[in-house]
Amino acid sequence: MENDRVSDDTPICSAKGCRAPAVWVLAWNNPKLHTPERRKTWLACEEHREHLSRFLGVRGFLKDVVTLGEWNSRSASEG
């Protein structure tokens, strides 16, 4: 399935074992380790967005979920 392959420059999902292209950015921080403004990110495909969001949310780490395009636009305007 050649069309399912992800190139080296394509962001991929952060879910363990997933190689699907990322569609979502989950911004989070661990308040015990990070300053309040710091944002770490996980990338998610459509299939894993909810699972990864729940994982972070239960721990109180999840701060924002946006599309990869929106995240890139934000980063470019801040940059």
Side-chain angles (χ1 to χ4, degrees):
M1 291 190 184
E2 191 66 29
N3 292 343
D4 289 343
R5 297 190 65 175
V6 177
S7 69
D8 290 339
D9 61 345
T10 301
I12 61 165
C13 181
S14 298
K16 186 176 181 179
C18 186
R19 300 290 301 157
V23 179
W24 297 95
V25 175
L26 287 66
W28 63 277
N29 84 0
N30 179 339
K32 292 181 180 178
L33 302 176
H34 307 122
T35 59
E37 66 279 351
R38 172 110 187 253
R39 292 295 180 265
K40 304 276 288 177
T41 57
W42 281 356
L43 302 177
C45 64
E46 198 64 54
E47 180 181 350
H48 291 112
R49 179 184 62 88
E50 188 63 33
H51 171 74
L52 294 173
S53 293
R54 264 195 316 268
F55 180 89
L56 293 168
V58 165
R59 290 156 179 79
F61 295 174
L62 187 62
K63 302 300 178 191
D64 201 6
V65 178
V66 297
T67 65
L68 184 58
E70 183 179 343
W71 184 263
N72 289 338
S73 293
R74 284 183 189 178
S75 296
S77 67
E78 293 171 2

